[in-house]
Amino acid sequence: MIRKSLCVLFLIIVPILLGQRNEREKRFGFICASYNQGCIYIILLTILLYLSCWINQWKFHVFERMFAASIIIGIIKVFYLKTIKKRGNKGKKYYSELFVKKILLFLIVLFLIAFQLSAYVFNGNFDQDDNTVEIVNTILGNDSFFNISPFTGETSQFIQPLYTPIILFYAFLSKISGLHPTLLIHIIVPCWILSWFSSICFEYGLELFDDKMKAIYFVIVIQILNMLGVYGKWLTSALLLCKAWQEESILLLCLLPWMVLRLFRIAQNKITSWEWLALVFQLLLIALFAIRAELYVGLLLVVALLIGSGRKLYELYRAY
C-alpha cells in the first residue's frame, strides 16, 4: 500500500514542491500555480532524459535512476536554495463565510472531476491503434526501449516512433508504485490530467477576472461544457474524457494552454534575455513531446518573437 502511494506522491505532492512561483506573479500565487509549474518541469525533465537515453542508447534503469535523482535534487533546491518568507496573518478569519463558499465550490469541482472520471471506469473508449499499455509492458519486461517491438518482442529499427517521452514516465510510475500499467494509464493518469487541466483553467480564470471566487466559477463552467462536448469525436472534450493518457491530449489540454498563458503574462511584464532563452528552450523541448507538436510550438515561437520584437521596438521608440 505504501509503495502504491508513491504514484500519488509523484502526481500530486512532487509537482507542488517543484513548482517555483515567480516573485512578480504573486497575485497568481495560489497552489494551482505551483502545481502547474511543477507538472511542466516533470514533463520537460522527461523529454530531456528521453533525448539523452535515445542518443546514448541507454537502458530503462538508467532513465529511472536519472529521473529519480533529478526530482530529489529539484526538491532539495526548493527547500534549501529558495528563500521561505513567513507572512503573518493579522486578524484574518479563516473560517469566514467567503472561505466556506470557496470550500463548497472546490468540492463541486472535485465532484465534476470524479463524474468525468467515471467515463473511464464504466464506459472505456479506447482507440484501436492505442498501444500505450503494451509499450509500457515491453519497457518493464525488457529494460530496454527504442528498438523492441511491443507486438512481437523482436528487435526492429522501425519501431522507435512508438516510444514517446510520456511512455517512459508511465513506465517509471508503474515501476516505483507496482501498479499494473492498465490501471495506471486508464484510471490514475486520466485523474491526473483532469486535475491538471482544472488547475490550468483556474489560472485562466484568475487572469480573466482577478478574483478567486470567479475563477472557481469559471472552472465549474468549463467542466460542465467539457462534459457536454464529449459527443464531438474530434473536440478536446473527447480527448479529455476518452483518451487523456495519450501525448496528444496532454499537449493540447495542458502544455499548449500553459505556454499560451505564459506568453500572455510575459507580454505584460518586462523579462531578461535569460528568461527569453529559457522560454524558447522549453518550447523546443515541448516540440519533441508528440507528433505534430512542432507545428503548434512553431506558431507559439513566432508569437513569442513578435512579442519580444514589439516590446523592443516600443522601448526604442520611448527612448527617442
Side-chain angles (χ1 to χ4, degrees):
M1 185 65 184
I2 297 178
R3 184 183 175 187
K4 289 179 172 57
S5 63
L6 291 175
C7 184
V8 178
L9 177 70
F10 262 89
L11 295 180
I12 297 179
I13 307 300
V14 169
I16 295 176
L17 295 178
L18 290 177
Q20 299 182 16
R21 292 169 292 182
N22 195 319
E23 293 297 326
R24 289 178 307 206
E25 298 177 358
K26 287 182 179 178
R27 68 191 188 99
F28 307 104
F30 192 59
I31 193 171
C32 291
S34 297
Y35 185 74
N36 295 335
Q37 186 70 53
C39 288
I40 292 293
Y41 283 161
I42 289 176
I43 295 296
L44 295 178
L45 175 63
T46 303
I47 299 172
L48 194 60
L49 294 180
Y50 168 86
L51 292 175
S52 301
C53 293
W54 178 50
I55 294 173
N56 297 282
Q57 293 296 307
W58 287 333
K59 299 291 185 180
F60 174 69
H61 71 272
V62 178
F63 170 87
E64 181 184 1
R65 294 172 184 175
M66 292 175 62
F67 189 87
S70 301
I71 293 295
I72 293 174
I73 292 173
I75 294 176
I76 291 176
K77 179 182 178 183
V78 170
F79 278 105
Y80 292 96
L81 301 182
K82 186 76 173 176
T83 302
I84 301 176
K85 297 181 180 179
K86 296 182 179 180
R87 300 178 181 178
N89 300 303
K90 299 180 180 180
K92 186 174 181 179
K93 297 181 179 180
Y94 287 97
Y95 297 97
S96 62
E97 183 179 354
L98 183 62
F99 179 77
V100 174
K101 287 183 179 180
K102 289 180 180 179
I103 293 297
L104 291 176
L105 291 175
F106 178 72
L107 292 177
I108 292 175
V109 173
L110 290 181
F111 172 77
L112 292 175
I113 292 176
F115 185 78
Q116 294 173 83
L117 186 63
S118 65
Y120 291 94
V121 179
F122 301 107
N123 188 25
N125 184 6
F126 313 123
D127 288 345
Q128 295 296 324
D129 60 345
D130 182 74
N131 307 300
T132 306
V133 175
E134 290 80 359
I135 299 173
V136 171
N137 280 324
T138 301
I139 295 175
L140 296 176
N142 297 277
D143 192 31
S144 182
F145 48 95
F146 297 128
N147 58 354
I148 298 180
S149 172
F151 313 110
T152 62
E154 299 177 353
T155 303
S156 174
Q157 59 180 342
F158 304 106
I159 212 69
Q160 190 272 332
L162 291 177
Y163 292 89
T164 57
I166 197 64
I167 296 291
L168 296 186
F169 180 60
Y170 295 158
F172 173 80
L173 289 178
S174 182
K175 182 73 175 294
I176 65 170
S177 64
L179 291 173
H180 192 276
T182 302
L183 175 63
L184 173 69
I185 294 169
H186 291 163
I187 302 297
I188 305 299
V189 170
C191 183
W192 170 49
I193 299 302
L194 283 167
S195 303
W196 187 8
F197 175 74
S198 300
S199 182
I200 293 176
C201 289
F202 181 82
E203 283 208 75
Y204 268 91
L206 281 179
E207 188 67 52
L208 292 172
F209 306 109
D210 200 15
D211 183 83
K212 290 183 179 179
M213 288 290 292
K214 293 181 179 179
I216 299 177
Y217 282 122
F218 178 76
V219 174
I220 293 175
V221 171
I222 292 296
Q223 296 286 2
I224 294 175
L225 292 176
N226 181 65
M227 289 187 291
L228 296 176
V230 70
Y231 299 102
K233 184 177 181 181
W234 302 110
L235 296 176
T236 54
S237 300
L239 293 176
L240 189 60
L241 296 179
C242 298
K243 43 187 177 181
W245 62 85
Q246 294 184 356
E247 58 270 8
E248 182 184 7
S249 302
I250 300 175
L251 175 70
L252 296 178
L253 295 169
C254 299
L255 296 180
L256 292 181
W258 183 86
M259 292 305 300
V260 170
L261 184 62
R262 179 72 175 156
L263 287 174
F264 181 78
R265 290 176 177 173
I266 285 176
Q268 295 178 322
N269 300 282
K270 185 177 180 180
I271 65 173
T272 63
S273 300
W274 287 109
E275 289 175 314
W276 273 112
L277 290 176
L279 176 65
V280 173
F281 180 69
Q282 291 175 4
L283 287 172
L284 292 176
L285 286 180
I286 292 176
L288 302 173
F289 181 74
I291 299 174
R292 293 189 298 274
E294 63 275 4
L295 299 177
Y296 303 108
V297 172
L299 292 176
L300 288 180
L301 280 173
V302 171
V303 173
L305 292 175
L306 290 176
I307 291 174
S309 301
R311 179 175 292 277
K312 194 66 177 179
L313 291 174
Y314 179 74
E315 292 176 355
L316 292 175
Y317 174 76
R318 290 287 301 272
Y320 287 101

PDB file of all heavy atoms in Angstrom, residues 149-171:
ATOM      1  N   SER A 149       9.925  -4.327 -30.587  1.00  0.00           N
ATOM      2  CA  SER A 149       8.527  -4.211 -30.981  1.00  0.00           C
ATOM      3  C   SER A 149       7.618  -4.668 -29.847  1.00  0.00           C
ATOM      4  O   SER A 149       7.796  -5.766 -29.316  1.00  0.00           O
ATOM      5  CB  SER A 149       8.259  -5.056 -32.228  1.00  0.00           C
ATOM      6  OG  SER A 149       6.876  -5.087 -32.511  1.00  0.00           O
ATOM      7  N   PRO A 150       6.623  -3.852 -29.447  1.00  0.00           N
ATOM      8  CA  PRO A 150       5.698  -4.283 -28.398  1.00  0.00           C
ATOM      9  C   PRO A 150       4.713  -5.345 -28.875  1.00  0.00           C
ATOM     10  O   PRO A 150       3.990  -5.920 -28.071  1.00  0.00           O
ATOM     11  CB  PRO A 150       4.974  -2.981 -28.028  1.00  0.00           C
ATOM     12  CG  PRO A 150       5.036  -2.155 -29.262  1.00  0.00           C
ATOM     13  CD  PRO A 150       6.349  -2.479 -29.918  1.00  0.00           C
ATOM     14  N   PHE A 151       4.688  -5.601 -30.185  1.00  0.00           N
ATOM     15  CA  PHE A 151       3.744  -6.576 -30.743  1.00  0.00           C
ATOM     16  C   PHE A 151       4.357  -7.977 -30.841  1.00  0.00           C
ATOM     17  O   PHE A 151       3.686  -8.968 -30.596  1.00  0.00           O
ATOM     18  CB  PHE A 151       3.285  -6.117 -32.129  1.00  0.00           C
ATOM     19  CG  PHE A 151       2.878  -4.673 -32.172  1.00  0.00           C
ATOM     20  CD1 PHE A 151       3.659  -3.737 -32.842  1.00  0.00           C
ATOM     21  CD2 PHE A 151       1.735  -4.245 -31.528  1.00  0.00           C
ATOM     22  CE1 PHE A 151       3.291  -2.404 -32.878  1.00  0.00           C
ATOM     23  CE2 PHE A 151       1.358  -2.916 -31.563  1.00  0.00           C
ATOM     24  CZ  PHE A 151       2.137  -1.981 -32.231  1.00  0.00           C
ATOM     25  N   THR A 152       5.638  -8.036 -31.191  1.00  0.00           N
ATOM     26  CA  THR A 152       6.289  -9.336 -31.379  1.00  0.00           C
ATOM     27  C   THR A 152       7.395  -9.606 -30.365  1.00  0.00           C
ATOM     28  O   THR A 152       7.795 -10.751 -30.185  1.00  0.00           O
ATOM     29  CB  THR A 152       6.886  -9.427 -32.793  1.00  0.00           C
ATOM     30  OG1 THR A 152       7.899  -8.416 -32.952  1.00  0.00           O
ATOM     31  CG2 THR A 152       5.802  -9.205 -33.845  1.00  0.00           C
ATOM     32  N   GLY A 153       7.921  -8.552 -29.722  1.00  0.00           N
ATOM     33  CA  GLY A 153       9.032  -8.718 -28.798  1.00  0.00           C
ATOM     34  C   GLY A 153      10.373  -8.842 -29.478  1.00  0.00           C
ATOM     35  O   GLY A 153      11.394  -9.055 -28.812  1.00  0.00           O
ATOM     36  N   GLU A 154      10.390  -8.693 -30.798  1.00  0.00           N
ATOM     37  CA  GLU A 154      11.639  -8.803 -31.542  1.00  0.00           C
ATOM     38  C   GLU A 154      12.237  -7.422 -31.814  1.00  0.00           C
ATOM     39  O   GLU A 154      11.544  -6.406 -31.772  1.00  0.00           O
ATOM     40  CB  GLU A 154      11.386  -9.528 -32.866  1.00  0.00           C
ATOM     41  CG  GLU A 154      10.862 -10.950 -32.695  1.00  0.00           C
ATOM     42  CD  GLU A 154      10.565 -11.603 -34.017  1.00  0.00           C
ATOM     43  OE1 GLU A 154      10.649 -10.896 -35.057  1.00  0.00           O
ATOM     44  OE2 GLU A 154      10.247 -12.806 -34.030  1.00  0.00           O
ATOM     45  N   THR A 155      13.521  -7.397 -32.114  1.00  0.00           N
ATOM     46  CA  THR A 155      14.209  -6.149 -32.404  1.00  0.00           C
ATOM     47  C   THR A 155      13.802  -5.620 -33.778  1.00  0.00           C
ATOM     48  O   THR A 155      13.744  -6.370 -34.751  1.00  0.00           O
ATOM     49  CB  THR A 155      15.728  -6.350 -32.360  1.00  0.00           C
ATOM     50  OG1 THR A 155      16.096  -6.867 -31.072  1.00  0.00           O
ATOM     51  CG2 THR A 155      16.460  -5.043 -32.606  1.00  0.00           C
ATOM     52  N   SER A 156      13.517  -4.323 -33.816  1.00  0.00           N
ATOM     53  CA  SER A 156      13.123  -3.691 -35.075  1.00  0.00           C
ATOM     54  C   SER A 156      13.614  -2.256 -35.075  1.00  0.00           C
ATOM     55  O   SER A 156      13.482  -1.546 -34.079  1.00  0.00           O
ATOM     56  CB  SER A 156      11.601  -3.729 -35.254  1.00  0.00           C
ATOM     57  OG  SER A 156      11.212  -2.992 -36.402  1.00  0.00           O
ATOM     58  N   GLN A 157      14.180  -1.817 -36.197  1.00  0.00           N
ATOM     59  CA  GLN A 157      14.699  -0.456 -36.293  1.00  0.00           C
ATOM     60  C   GLN A 157      13.627   0.550 -36.687  1.00  0.00           C
ATOM     61  O   GLN A 157      13.883   1.749 -36.726  1.00  0.00           O
ATOM     62  CB  GLN A 157      15.830  -0.412 -37.325  1.00  0.00           C
ATOM     63  CG  GLN A 157      15.412  -0.859 -38.721  1.00  0.00           C
ATOM     64  CD  GLN A 157      16.546  -0.799 -39.707  1.00  0.00           C
ATOM     65  OE1 GLN A 157      17.549  -0.125 -39.463  1.00  0.00           O
ATOM     66  NE2 GLN A 157      16.400  -1.500 -40.826  1.00  0.00           N
ATOM     67  N   PHE A 158      12.426   0.084 -36.990  1.00  0.00           N
ATOM     68  CA  PHE A 158      11.356   0.980 -37.423  1.00  0.00           C
ATOM     69  C   PHE A 158      10.314   1.221 -36.329  1.00  0.00           C
ATOM     70  O   PHE A 158       9.271   1.806 -36.590  1.00  0.00           O
ATOM     71  CB  PHE A 158      10.647   0.397 -38.658  1.00  0.00           C
ATOM     72  CG  PHE A 158      11.568   0.097 -39.798  1.00  0.00           C
ATOM     73  CD1 PHE A 158      11.914  -1.211 -40.101  1.00  0.00           C
ATOM     74  CD2 PHE A 158      12.111   1.133 -40.555  1.00  0.00           C
ATOM     75  CE1 PHE A 158      12.773  -1.488 -41.160  1.00  0.00           C
ATOM     76  CE2 PHE A 158      12.975   0.862 -41.596  1.00  0.00           C
ATOM     77  CZ  PHE A 158      13.301  -0.445 -41.906  1.00  0.00           C
ATOM     78  N   ILE A 159      10.590   0.768 -35.127  1.00  0.00           N
ATOM     79  CA  ILE A 159       9.606   0.833 -34.063  1.00  0.00           C
ATOM     80  C   ILE A 159       9.825   2.032 -33.149  1.00  0.00           C
ATOM     81  O   ILE A 159       9.001   2.322 -32.267  1.00  0.00           O
ATOM     82  CB  ILE A 159       9.637  -0.486 -33.252  1.00  0.00           C
ATOM     83  CG1 ILE A 159       8.245  -0.825 -32.717  1.00  0.00           C
ATOM     84  CG2 ILE A 159      10.661  -0.408 -32.132  1.00  0.00           C
ATOM     85  CD1 ILE A 159       7.273  -1.208 -33.780  1.00  0.00           C
ATOM     86  N   GLN A 160      10.918   2.765 -33.311  1.00  0.00           N
ATOM     87  CA  GLN A 160      11.284   3.846 -32.395  1.00  0.00           C
ATOM     88  C   GLN A 160      10.206   4.920 -32.237  1.00  0.00           C
ATOM     89  O   GLN A 160      10.003   5.430 -31.118  1.00  0.00           O
ATOM     90  CB  GLN A 160      12.613   4.470 -32.859  1.00  0.00           C
ATOM     91  CG  GLN A 160      13.233   5.438 -31.867  1.00  0.00           C
ATOM     92  CD  GLN A 160      12.725   6.854 -32.046  1.00  0.00           C
ATOM     93  OE1 GLN A 160      12.341   7.216 -33.159  1.00  0.00           O
ATOM     94  NE2 GLN A 160      12.715   7.640 -30.987  1.00  0.00           N
ATOM     95  N   PRO A 161       9.466   5.335 -33.297  1.00  0.00           N
ATOM     96  CA  PRO A 161       8.458   6.393 -33.107  1.00  0.00           C
ATOM     97  C   PRO A 161       7.360   6.056 -32.100  1.00  0.00           C
ATOM     98  O   PRO A 161       6.695   6.966 -31.592  1.00  0.00           O
ATOM     99  CB  PRO A 161       7.878   6.573 -34.519  1.00  0.00           C
ATOM    100  CG  PRO A 161       8.965   6.141 -35.433  1.00  0.00           C
ATOM    101  CD  PRO A 161       9.640   5.008 -34.715  1.00  0.00           C
ATOM    102  N   LEU A 162       7.168   4.771 -31.783  1.00  0.00           N
ATOM    103  CA  LEU A 162       6.146   4.401 -30.805  1.00  0.00           C
ATOM    104  C   LEU A 162       6.557   4.780 -29.381  1.00  0.00           C
ATOM    105  O   LEU A 162       5.702   4.974 -28.523  1.00  0.00           O
ATOM    106  CB  LEU A 162       5.869   2.898 -30.869  1.00  0.00           C
ATOM    107  CG  LEU A 162       5.164   2.376 -32.126  1.00  0.00           C
ATOM    108  CD1 LEU A 162       5.029   0.864 -32.049  1.00  0.00           C
ATOM    109  CD2 LEU A 162       3.802   3.019 -32.295  1.00  0.00           C
ATOM    110  N   TYR A 163       7.849   4.882 -29.136  1.00  0.00           N
ATOM    111  CA  TYR A 163       8.348   5.169 -27.800  1.00  0.00           C
ATOM    112  C   TYR A 163       8.479   6.684 -27.620  1.00  0.00           C
ATOM    113  O   TYR A 163       9.451   7.303 -28.035  1.00  0.00           O
ATOM    114  CB  TYR A 163       9.695   4.483 -27.575  1.00  0.00           C
ATOM    115  CG  TYR A 163       9.613   2.983 -27.512  1.00  0.00           C
ATOM    116  CD1 TYR A 163       9.719   2.208 -28.664  1.00  0.00           C
ATOM    117  CD2 TYR A 163       9.404   2.341 -26.293  1.00  0.00           C
ATOM    118  CE1 TYR A 163       9.632   0.823 -28.595  1.00  0.00           C
ATOM    119  CE2 TYR A 163       9.317   0.951 -26.226  1.00  0.00           C
ATOM    120  CZ  TYR A 163       9.429   0.209 -27.381  1.00  0.00           C
ATOM    121  OH  TYR A 163       9.338  -1.153 -27.313  1.00  0.00           O
ATOM    122  N   THR A 164       7.475   7.287 -27.005  1.00  0.00           N
ATOM    123  CA  THR A 164       7.456   8.727 -26.776  1.00  0.00           C
ATOM    124  C   THR A 164       7.894   9.031 -25.346  1.00  0.00           C
ATOM    125  O   THR A 164       7.906   8.127 -24.488  1.00  0.00           O
ATOM    126  CB  THR A 164       6.049   9.282 -27.026  1.00  0.00           C
ATOM    127  OG1 THR A 164       5.116   8.594 -26.182  1.00  0.00           O
ATOM    128  CG2 THR A 164       5.644   9.082 -28.488  1.00  0.00           C
ATOM    129  N   PRO A 165       8.231  10.276 -25.044  1.00  0.00           N
ATOM    130  CA  PRO A 165       8.682  10.605 -23.678  1.00  0.00           C
ATOM    131  C   PRO A 165       7.679  10.245 -22.590  1.00  0.00           C
ATOM    132  O   PRO A 165       8.064   9.751 -21.526  1.00  0.00           O
ATOM    133  CB  PRO A 165       8.914  12.117 -23.757  1.00  0.00           C
ATOM    134  CG  PRO A 165       9.240  12.378 -25.186  1.00  0.00           C
ATOM    135  CD  PRO A 165       8.414  11.413 -25.966  1.00  0.00           C
ATOM    136  N   ILE A 166       6.390  10.492 -22.830  1.00  0.00           N
ATOM    137  CA  ILE A 166       5.402  10.229 -21.779  1.00  0.00           C
ATOM    138  C   ILE A 166       5.299   8.746 -21.482  1.00  0.00           C
ATOM    139  O   ILE A 166       4.957   8.342 -20.353  1.00  0.00           O
ATOM    140  CB  ILE A 166       4.029  10.807 -22.207  1.00  0.00           C
ATOM    141  CG1 ILE A 166       3.107  10.931 -20.987  1.00  0.00           C
ATOM    142  CG2 ILE A 166       3.395   9.983 -23.292  1.00  0.00           C
ATOM    143  CD1 ILE A 166       3.573  11.899 -19.954  1.00  0.00           C
ATOM    144  N   ILE A 167       5.628   7.889 -22.471  1.00  0.00           N
ATOM    145  CA  ILE A 167       5.617   6.446 -22.239  1.00  0.00           C
ATOM    146  C   ILE A 167       6.644   6.070 -21.168  1.00  0.00           C
ATOM    147  O   ILE A 167       6.379   5.234 -20.293  1.00  0.00           O
ATOM    148  CB  ILE A 167       5.909   5.688 -23.550  1.00  0.00           C
ATOM    149  CG1 ILE A 167       4.809   5.935 -24.583  1.00  0.00           C
ATOM    150  CG2 ILE A 167       6.077   4.204 -23.286  1.00  0.00           C
ATOM    151  CD1 ILE A 167       3.495   5.315 -24.247  1.00  0.00           C
ATOM    152  N   LEU A 168       7.821   6.702 -21.223  1.00  0.00           N
ATOM    153  CA  LEU A 168       8.848   6.423 -20.217  1.00  0.00           C
ATOM    154  C   LEU A 168       8.396   6.875 -18.828  1.00  0.00           C
ATOM    155  O   LEU A 168       8.702   6.230 -17.822  1.00  0.00           O
ATOM    156  CB  LEU A 168      10.152   7.126 -20.601  1.00  0.00           C
ATOM    157  CG  LEU A 168      10.823   6.669 -21.893  1.00  0.00           C
ATOM    158  CD1 LEU A 168      12.166   7.358 -22.060  1.00  0.00           C
ATOM    159  CD2 LEU A 168      10.987   5.163 -21.926  1.00  0.00           C
ATOM    160  N   PHE A 169       7.680   7.990 -18.771  1.00  0.00           N
ATOM    161  CA  PHE A 169       7.169   8.469 -17.483  1.00  0.00           C
ATOM    162  C   PHE A 169       6.156   7.486 -16.910  1.00  0.00           C
ATOM    163  O   PHE A 169       6.170   7.200 -15.705  1.00  0.00           O
ATOM    164  CB  PHE A 169       6.553   9.850 -17.666  1.00  0.00           C
ATOM    165  CG  PHE A 169       6.001  10.444 -16.395  1.00  0.00           C
ATOM    166  CD1 PHE A 169       6.826  10.674 -15.317  1.00  0.00           C
ATOM    167  CD2 PHE A 169       4.653  10.765 -16.290  1.00  0.00           C
ATOM    168  CE1 PHE A 169       6.322  11.215 -14.137  1.00  0.00           C
ATOM    169  CE2 PHE A 169       4.148  11.312 -15.128  1.00  0.00           C
ATOM    170  CZ  PHE A 169       4.984  11.534 -14.050  1.00  0.00           C
ATOM    171  N   TYR A 170       5.280   6.956 -17.752  1.00  0.00           N
ATOM    172  CA  TYR A 170       4.321   5.955 -17.289  1.00  0.00           C
ATOM    173  C   TYR A 170       5.037   4.697 -16.798  1.00  0.00           C
ATOM    174  O   TYR A 170       4.647   4.107 -15.770  1.00  0.00           O
ATOM    175  CB  TYR A 170       3.350   5.581 -18.409  1.00  0.00           C
ATOM    176  CG  TYR A 170       2.450   6.699 -18.865  1.00  0.00           C
ATOM    177  CD1 TYR A 170       1.850   6.678 -20.117  1.00  0.00           C
ATOM    178  CD2 TYR A 170       2.185   7.792 -18.040  1.00  0.00           C
ATOM    179  CE1 TYR A 170       1.013   7.703 -20.540  1.00  0.00           C
ATOM    180  CE2 TYR A 170       1.354   8.823 -18.456  1.00  0.00           C
ATOM    181  CZ  TYR A 170       0.769   8.778 -19.714  1.00  0.00           C
ATOM    182  OH  TYR A 170      -0.048   9.786 -20.129  1.00  0.00           O
ATOM    183  N   ALA A 171       6.050   4.278 -17.519  1.00  0.00           N
ATOM    184  CA  ALA A 171       6.807   3.096 -17.102  1.00  0.00           C
ATOM    185  C   ALA A 171       7.499   3.340 -15.760  1.00  0.00           C
ATOM    186  O   ALA A 171       7.561   2.446 -14.904  1.00  0.00           O
ATOM    187  CB  ALA A 171       7.837   2.730 -18.174  1.00  0.00           C
TER     188      ALA A 171
END
